[in-house]
Amino acid sequence: MTTAVKVDEDTKSRLEELQAEIRLETGTRVTQQELLSRIIDDAYGSREEVIDSFRDTTVPLSAAEKEAMTKGRFSSGVETDEDDIDEILYG
């Protein structure tokens, strides 16, 4: 069963470019359907990366996010240096 997927002209053009480049580089003709299937298979294999690409960016932090991070911080009054941290981490 074949189902149509609508894409804009820019996407269609890039798909055709990829299709032509595959033919030039490998000598193999691939249909746009084969190419899309391969692209989807690859994306499915790295789905976390694809999902993350749709997330709103988190860097840099907004002012509210920075404030939320520092809200629970307090000063113990004890000076800590690099050697102290190494001792705590590595013993």
Side-chain angles (χ1 to χ4, degrees):
M1 179 173 99
T2 302
T3 303
V5 176
K6 292 183 180 184
V7 293
D8 60 37
E9 287 299 317
D10 185 49
T11 302
K12 175 79 169 161
S13 176
R14 290 187 292 161
L15 184 62
E16 290 168 349
E17 265 184 57
L18 275 171
Q19 186 181 21
E21 192 169 343
I22 290 167
R23 183 168 180 233
L24 285 172
E25 296 285 330
T26 67
T28 304
R29 288 179 185 248
V30 295
T31 66
Q32 290 180 2
Q33 183 175 344
E34 290 172 316
L35 180 52
L36 282 172
S37 290
R38 177 73 58 93
I39 291 167
I40 291 168
D41 286 345
D42 289 349
Y44 192 81
S46 58
R47 70 178 80 181
E48 282 301 317
E49 187 176 320
V50 173
I51 293 167
D52 286 345
S53 74
F54 285 91
R55 295 187 196 285
D56 290 336
T57 182
T58 57
V59 178
L61 296 176
S62 69
E65 291 169 323
K66 289 177 185 176
E67 184 180 334
M69 286 184 67
T70 60
K71 199 174 236 179
R73 290 170 49 184
F74 64 92
S75 174
S76 66
V78 176
E79 193 74 27
T80 305
D81 64 17
E82 213 172 287
D83 292 331
D84 296 327
I85 295 170
D86 287 345
E87 179 65 30
I88 292 166
L89 291 176
Y90 308 114

